């Protein structure tokens, strides 16, 4: 197991190198001179030249790349053009909110999705099954910014006013954004769980369990669900990864100061170091989540050989 | 029929159907047989004859769209078809156990051998996890698995097919059932392993004094293992006899056809192995009279028009064929001796 983790970590190295090259290239691929942008529109050519020198833009590209990576490894991703603060500080002040949001939303979608999927599968072709699947289809098809706005409309504005419209910090703040983000995930997980369970329920070993005299509830939750989880875990991992980098719209709708909002602000302010840094961090988190998903396969099903 | 006092299970006019697209498919259509205590009954038939459905019906493990429509399954004098699902669960894996054709897929891939054997005793005998583990070890020893201590914590994928079938047998026998139903237990295994598994079942049967229903399509297996044989064709029993009588003096043309199509090494065979002409009828195209009539070399109009009953032959053996009744309107036939000449004239 340990050997596998190390090997799997090694495998992520090329991915991470690829990510840094892409992120590094951003600086040079966008139109305009970064030094000009950083120095400001009104800067004199001398000031721009000084800035170029300071940013090392006159060095050969490989030298620039290695100095970028070298700095990144020590946690130095440059400074924000807007605020002048270290990019790492900017990111890590925003990251916890986004991670919290992604975690809660994922938990909610797992909880609703698994229960709905299992019920749907055990009651297949009944009214309950059809109802759950139709609701899931709605959940999947609703654009989440729209759902967010609707939730605000009905639950945050008069007459109900149950939850605050915007912001983050108290449990009341969490409810609507998490509900908004969790819905689509719950729908996907419910559909995945259903089809996976239906597949497993027809397997020979389920018949063996029945022939042993095992109770139906235990057959479903112990014998079948554990086997049905593998495709579900894959989907959960992907969802979580997407949420980590992709809560942009919802953070905007609910005015939550998370990573997504930081990226948007940085892009509109042409704050390249912050954009670069955020993309790098999001990509690294995605790699990490995928690693965790792979490790969980082994935990769920011993047939999957790791070494 | 054999003595009722010593019968472990008595199946009477069992009917199991599947309902597909509003149409009824009669998979088991009035099956009647019994199993004397401590004996082995072989149920023989081609694919689709209803033998597996019969065994699953006894376990009451028929799932939608299938349904047991009628009849009786008397186990120790109590009709299993009257039992609630909860009562059936107490019987399954405890008094009646079953092993299946596919050892490769019949074990749950995510649980260890010990978990899967122990589960049955934990359910039925309320043993603790530790006791259940001891029981699992005892069972692994009983079914002859080498280094059983090591195998306890193995997962199914770490075992060979023969090994897995031994584990299946260990699961089935963990609660010392009175009746074991083995549905083609050796079909998916190598020939050498087949013989081992059959011998194991046979030995355990004597050791534990249980009764066995062995479902197979292989008459060789029947000859080796069974005391009684029920031959099934198209959802019905066509002949029931003790194993010696069946092989020495088969009465139903289908049984004779099956025996003639067995390769023999003890007598010189000339020419090709004989086959039974035609195909097993599909359920939507079931013959009106005797179901074997379209393929039977002796069939007459009366066979094609009327379904014969399963008639007692006086010696406890039964056959479902007009030839062996008083109503037979054709020339005198000795099914066994005349089969080949009649079959050669068949178009």
């Amino acid at each position: 197991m340990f050997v596998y983790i190390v090997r799997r970590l090694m495998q992520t190295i090329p991915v991470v190198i690829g990510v840094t090259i892409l992120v590094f290239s951003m600086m040079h691929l966008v139109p305009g001179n970064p030094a000009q942008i950083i120095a400001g529109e009104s800067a004199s050519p001398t000031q721009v030249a000084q800035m170029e020198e300071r940013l090392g833009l006159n060095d050969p590209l490989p030298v620039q790349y290695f100095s970028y990576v070298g700095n990144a490894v020590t946690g130095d991703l440059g400074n924000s053009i807007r605020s002048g603060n270290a990019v790492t500080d900017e990111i890590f002040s925003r990251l916890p909110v986004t991670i919290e949001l992604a975690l809660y939303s994922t938990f909610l979608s797992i909880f609703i999705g698994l229960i709905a999927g299992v019920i749907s599968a055990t009651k297949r072709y009944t009214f309950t099954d059809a109802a759950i699947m139709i609701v899931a289809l709605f959940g999947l098809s609703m654009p989440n910014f729209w759902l967010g706005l609707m939730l605000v409309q009905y639950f945050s504005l008069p007459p109900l006013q149950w939850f605050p419209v915007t912001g983050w910090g108290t449990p009341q703040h969490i409810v609507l954004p998490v509900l908004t983000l969790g819905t689509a995930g719950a729908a996907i997980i419910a559909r995945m769980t259903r089809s996976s369970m239906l597949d497993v329920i027809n397997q020979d070993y389920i018949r063996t369990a029945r022939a042993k005299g095992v109770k139906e509830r235990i057959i479903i939750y112990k014998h079948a669900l554990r086997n049905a989880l593998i495709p579900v875990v894959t989907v959960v991992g992907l969802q979580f990864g997407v949420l980590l980098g992709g809560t942009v719209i919802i953070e905007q709708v609910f005015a939550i100061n998370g990573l997504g909002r930081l990226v948007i602000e940085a892009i509109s302010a042409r704050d390249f170091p912050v954009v670069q840094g955020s993309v790098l961090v999001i990509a690294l988190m995605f790699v990490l989540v995928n690693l965790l998903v792979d490790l969980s396969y082994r935990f769920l099903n011993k047939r999957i050989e790791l070494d | 029929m054999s003595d009722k006092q010593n019968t472990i299970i008595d199946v009477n006019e069992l009917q199991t159907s599947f309902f597909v697209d509003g149409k009824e498919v009669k998979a088991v259509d009035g099956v009647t047989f019994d199993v004397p205590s401590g004996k082995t009954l072989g149920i023989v038939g081609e694919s689709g004859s209803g033998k597996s459905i019969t065994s699953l019906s006894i376990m009451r493990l028929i799932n939608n769209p299938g349904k047991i429509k009628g009849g009786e399954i008397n186990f120790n004098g109590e009709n299993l078809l009257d039992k609630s699902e909860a009562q059936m669960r107490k019987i399954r894996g405890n008094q009646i156990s079953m092993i299946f054709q596919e050892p490769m897929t019949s074990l749950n891939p995510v649980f260890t051998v010990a978990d899967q054997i122990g589960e049955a005793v934990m359910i039925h005998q309320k043993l603790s996890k530790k006791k259940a583990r001891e029981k699992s070890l005892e069972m692994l020893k009983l079914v002859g698995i080498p280094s059983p201590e090591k195998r306890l914590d193995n997962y199914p994928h770490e075992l060979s097919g023969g090994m897995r079938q031994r584990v299946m047998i260990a699961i089935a026998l963990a609660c010392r059932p009175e009746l074991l139903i083995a549905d083609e237990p050796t079909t998916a295994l190598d020939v050498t392993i087949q013989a081992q598994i059959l011998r194991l079942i046979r030995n355990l049967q004597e050791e534990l004094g249980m009764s066995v229903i062995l479902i197979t399509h292989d008459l060789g297996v029947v000859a080796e293992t069974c005391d009684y044989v029920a031959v099934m064709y198209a959802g019905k029993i066509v002949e029931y006899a003790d194993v010696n009588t069946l092989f020495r003096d088969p009465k139903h043309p289908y049984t004779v056809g099956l025996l003639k199509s067995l390769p023999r090494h003890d007598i010189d065979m000339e020419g090709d192995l004989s086959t039974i002409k035609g195909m097993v009828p599909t359920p939507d195209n079931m013959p009106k009279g005797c179901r074997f009539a379209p393929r039977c070399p002796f069939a007459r109009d009366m066979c094609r028009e009327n379904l014969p009953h399963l008639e007692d032959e006086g010696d406890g053996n039964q056959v479902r064929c007009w030839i062996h009744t008083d109503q037979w309107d054709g020339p005198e036939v000795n099914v066994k001796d005349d089969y080949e000449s009649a079959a050669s004239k068949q178009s």
Side-chain angles (χ1 to χ4, degrees):
Chain A
M1 192 67 185
F2 178 73
V3 177
Y4 174 73
I5 296 175
V6 171
R7 250 187 35 190
R8 191 63 186 67
L9 275 172
M10 306 276 270
Q11 281 169 4
T12 62
I13 289 174
V15 179
V16 172
I17 291 175
V19 168
T20 54
I21 290 175
L22 279 177
V23 167
F24 170 75
S25 314
M26 272 169 58
M27 193 77 156
H28 298 270
L29 290 175
V30 288
N33 181 350
Q36 176 79 61
I37 295 163
I38 291 171
E41 303 254 334
S42 55
S44 70
T46 328
Q47 284 172 310
V48 172
Q50 277 173 348
M51 185 55 76
E52 280 179 349
E53 193 54 41
R54 219 185 82 198
L55 292 174
L57 291 176
N58 296 326
D59 296 335
L61 277 181
V63 174
Q64 289 187 40
Y65 172 73
F66 282 111
S67 91
Y68 174 72
V69 171
N71 288 334
V73 170
T74 60
D76 176 10
L77 292 170
N79 290 317
S80 162
I81 296 171
R82 272 190 316 160
S83 64
N85 296 335
V87 170
T88 36
D89 291 345
E90 292 263 343
I91 292 173
F92 285 109
S93 71
R94 304 292 194 96
L95 194 56
V97 177
T98 297
I99 289 181
E100 237 183 307
L101 196 54
L103 267 180
Y104 293 151
S105 308
T106 307
F107 281 139
L108 181 75
S109 42
I110 293 173
F111 183 71
I112 298 177
L114 273 188
I115 293 179
V118 168
I119 292 175
S120 219
T122 48
K123 300 200 184 293
R124 93 192 103 153
Y125 307 138
T126 63
F127 175 76
T128 319
D129 176 26
I132 290 175
M133 282 303 113
I134 287 171
V135 172
L137 191 62
F138 270 101
L140 208 58
S141 319
M142 264 187 298
N144 60 12
F145 72 88
W146 180 81
L147 177 62
L149 291 175
M150 286 300 116
L151 289 174
V152 168
Q153 168 90 48
Y154 289 105
F155 295 107
S156 299
L157 299 181
L160 293 179
Q161 285 185 294
W162 287 349
F163 304 105
V165 179
T166 57
W168 191 254
T170 69
Q172 282 86 349
H173 282 111
I174 296 173
V175 177
L176 293 188
V178 164
L179 215 54
T180 311
L181 284 173
T183 306
I188 296 173
I189 291 170
R191 294 174 68 90
M192 197 55 155
T193 307
R194 178 181 184 269
S195 69
S196 184
M197 280 294 280
L198 285 182
D199 184 42
V200 169
I201 280 173
N202 287 319
Q203 296 291 318
D204 290 346
Y205 53 78
I206 296 300
R207 191 183 50 189
T208 305
R210 291 211 173 96
K212 256 193 255 183
V214 180
K215 285 201 181 94
E216 197 61 26
R217 194 164 41 84
I218 295 173
I219 287 181
I220 297 296
Y221 288 99
K222 183 178 159 196
H223 292 256
L225 189 57
R226 179 115 177 241
N227 280 285
L229 274 184
I230 287 185
V232 178
V233 168
T234 313
V235 170
V236 169
L238 286 175
Q239 285 264 253
F240 185 61
V242 168
L243 284 181
L244 282 177
T247 59
V248 178
I249 293 168
I250 291 311
E251 287 180 13
Q252 201 68 19
V253 168
F254 290 97
I256 298 165
N257 279 323
L259 193 57
R261 223 156 162 237
L262 178 69
V263 174
I264 296 234
E265 289 163 4
I267 289 173
S268 30
R270 298 215 172 185
D271 194 347
F272 291 120
V274 173
V275 178
Q276 273 185 318
S278 310
V279 171
L280 185 64
V281 168
I282 290 170
L284 291 181
M285 285 194 300
F286 212 100
V287 169
L288 185 70
V289 169
N290 273 313
L291 176 67
L292 291 177
V293 167
D294 281 3
L295 293 180
S296 73
Y297 288 164
R298 168 70 179 172
F299 179 73
L300 283 170
N301 190 338
K302 302 298 191 290
R303 264 178 312 183
I304 294 168
E305 288 293 333
L306 297 181
D307 314 306
Chain B
M1 226 172 250
S2 38
D3 190 358
K4 289 283 176 208
Q5 247 78 60
N6 294 318
T7 296
I8 179 94
I9 192 164
D10 165 22
V11 176
N12 200 359
E13 283 299 315
L14 177 69
Q15 289 187 311
T16 304
S17 292
F18 286 80
F19 296 87
V20 186
D21 299 331
K23 270 203 290 189
E24 181 184 358
V25 174
K26 295 180 177 176
V28 174
D29 190 6
V31 159
T32 301
F33 63 83
D34 56 21
V35 183
S37 285
K39 300 291 183 191
T40 300
L41 170 75
I43 301 183
V44 196
E46 289 167 87
S47 311
S49 60
K51 50 197 198 306
S52 287
I53 302 299
T54 303
S55 58
L56 287 171
S57 299
I58 295 172
M59 294 293 279
R60 289 260 312 269
L61 284 176
I62 298 290
N63 289 329
N64 266 330
K67 201 169 174 287
I68 299 174
K69 273 181 59 201
E72 284 172 22
I73 299 169
N74 294 312
F75 175 71
N76 280 337
E78 288 177 51
N79 187 355
L80 295 182
L81 298 185
D82 293 338
K83 301 264 182 207
S84 69
E85 180 55 30
Q87 287 172 318
M88 270 318 289
R89 270 203 306 271
K90 292 210 172 88
I91 293 173
R92 285 185 205 128
N94 190 21
Q95 289 165 283
I96 310 180
S97 283
M98 188 159 177
I99 54 177
F100 300 98
Q101 181 171 354
E102 285 297 336
M104 304 310 275
T105 54
S106 292
L107 292 169
N108 196 324
V110 303
F111 296 112
T112 62
V113 166
D115 284 341
Q116 300 194 50
I117 301 175
E119 189 174 28
V121 284
M122 283 168 75
I123 293 172
H124 296 297
Q125 299 173 356
K126 308 273 182 284
L127 292 188
S128 67
K129 209 168 164 109
K130 191 165 161 276
K131 282 267 190 309
R133 194 181 160 84
E134 286 165 18
K135 183 77 186 175
S136 303
L137 181 61
E138 180 197 322
M139 290 312 295
L140 286 184
K141 283 179 188 156
L142 185 72
V143 298
I145 284 187
S147 47
E149 289 87 355
K150 280 188 210 153
R151 294 296 175 197
L152 275 178
D153 294 314
N154 275 171
Y155 286 89
H157 72 272
E158 296 168 288
L159 306 175
S160 67
M163 214 71 118
R164 288 188 212 190
Q165 197 61 295
R166 283 176 195 265
V167 171
M168 279 298 292
I169 294 172
I171 293 173
L173 301 189
C175 294
R176 307 276 150 130
E178 293 162 64
L179 176 65
L180 173 71
I181 303 174
D183 185 359
E184 306 252 9
T186 58
T187 308
L189 302 174
D190 286 345
V191 181
T192 45
I193 309 295
Q194 279 186 17
Q196 290 177 15
I197 295 290
L198 288 174
R199 207 173 310 129
L200 176 69
I201 294 177
R202 183 103 228 187
N203 291 345
L204 290 175
Q205 175 189 19
E206 278 165 26
E207 207 173 318
L208 309 177
M210 63 182 175
S211 316
V212 176
I213 295 179
L214 184 76
I215 315 275
T216 181
H217 63 268
D218 187 341
L219 280 169
V221 169
V222 168
E224 242 172 277
T225 342
C226 299
D227 303 302
Y228 296 88
V229 194
V231 181
M232 267 190 95
Y233 186 81
K236 285 186 184 297
I237 303 276
V238 294
E239 185 161 1
Y240 178 98
D242 64 86
V243 70
N244 290 328
T245 311
L246 189 97
F247 280 91
R248 200 187 58 241
D249 183 23
K251 296 206 172 56
H252 198 281
Y254 177 62
T255 314
V256 176
L258 277 183
L259 289 168
K260 296 271 184 208
S261 58
L262 266 187
R264 297 275 296 264
H265 57 81
D266 54 339
I267 50 170
D268 258 349
M269 298 277 295
E270 279 173 32
D272 299 332
L273 211 53
S274 84
T275 54
I276 303 176
K277 297 216 165 47
M279 303 279 280
V280 182
T282 53
D284 54 330
N285 192 25
M286 210 42 99
K288 194 167 133 208
C290 172
R291 285 170 181 188
F292 187 60
R295 302 171 74 184
C296 180
F298 305 110
R300 303 174 62 79
D301 284 344
M302 69 176 303
C303 304
R304 286 181 272 270
E305 288 304 315
N306 306 301
L307 181 69
H309 296 289
L310 194 60
E311 304 273 4
D312 258 313
E313 290 296 288
D315 49 359
N317 300 330
Q318 298 162 302
V319 62
R320 186 191 289 278
C321 178
W322 287 122
I323 294 173
H324 303 282
T325 63
D326 300 338
Q327 287 108 300
W328 179 245
D329 60 2
E332 184 120 341
V333 177
N334 181 321
V335 178
K336 189 185 170 199
D337 298 340
D338 301 342
Y339 185 87
E340 252 162 289
S341 61
S344 62
K345 286 181 212 134
Q346 225 176 344
S347 54

